[in-house]
Amino acid sequence: QMSRKIEDLDPRCQDAARKTLDALTADDELRNSGVAGWLVVETRRELATQMAYFARGRMAPEHVRMMYDAAGIKQQLTDKETQTAITTTLKSRHLSGLAMDIVPVKADGKAWWDAPARVWMRMATIAEGFGWESGVRWKDFPDFPHLQWRGA
């Protein structure tokens, strides 16, 4: 399973997570770009969930779905989604509560997964100021919602 709670993050980064979300929500540039708030999609993650995510793009669709079921993930994946890799590792920082995935939310309350690059880049810049490394900046496998703790 997985968590969306800041309290489930490692205690070393909980305060930074709250401050980061507050700063993102208060940022004029982001608000002017159409961001109404931020949704925490995931914080701490169990190994079974990581394994299910890792299966995507590496196993047949029916086997990916079996991995999701075994991990207790209720998400219904299309065949295309089962064949789209979403992680490159079984050692995610989510496993130890040192990472969180966040997504901007529009005024209608919907997650804005396809927000323009400038929104994600601004998020990265703000988050980095609070001690996070942003997956936005990863060249080989960009992971826009991902922030992992590196310490302030």
Side-chain angles (χ1 to χ4, degrees):
Q1 289 291 29
M2 63 178 196
S3 173
R4 295 179 175 201
K5 297 177 184 174
I6 298 298
E7 300 77 36
D8 288 337
L9 287 170
D10 185 289
R12 292 173 288 175
C13 62
Q14 290 179 16
D15 190 51
R18 290 183 188 95
K19 288 178 179 175
T20 300
L21 292 166
D22 288 347
L24 290 169
T25 301
D27 187 72
D28 288 335
E29 186 177 327
L30 287 168
R31 272 190 288 172
N32 292 338
S33 295
V35 178
W38 290 83
L39 173 67
V40 177
V41 178
E42 194 167 6
T43 56
R44 189 176 294 269
R45 178 185 299 161
E46 297 295 324
L47 181 58
T49 299
Q50 187 67 29
M51 291 172 70
Y53 291 171
F54 188 78
R56 289 179 60 168
R58 294 176 177 84
M59 297 175 80
E62 62 272 17
H63 295 142
V64 173
R65 290 187 186 101
M66 289 172 69
M67 294 289 288
Y68 267 61
D69 288 345
I73 304 170
K74 303 296 183 213
Q75 182 180 357
Q76 298 298 311
L77 299 174
T78 65
D79 281 353
K80 183 178 181 192
E81 288 171 329
T82 68
Q83 298 307 293
T84 303
I86 61 170
T87 185
T88 61
T89 185
L90 286 172
K91 297 180 180 179
S92 171
R93 299 256 181 104
H94 285 282
L95 298 172
S96 56
L98 292 169
M100 65 177 175
D101 293 336
I102 63 173
V103 66
V105 175
K106 294 165 95 169
D108 63 6
K110 293 192 166 118
W112 195 10
W113 291 100
D114 60 348
R118 72 179 182 279
V119 168
W120 295 106
M121 296 305 273
R122 180 71 180 151
M123 180 268 293
T125 299
I126 292 170
E128 288 161 352
F130 289 97
W132 300 97
E133 175 185 342
S134 174
V136 167
R137 307 218 192 269
W138 296 345
K139 300 291 182 229
D140 293 337
F141 197 87
D143 187 353
F144 283 28
H146 185 81
L147 298 173
Q148 64 185 33
W149 182 244
R150 59 175 168 71

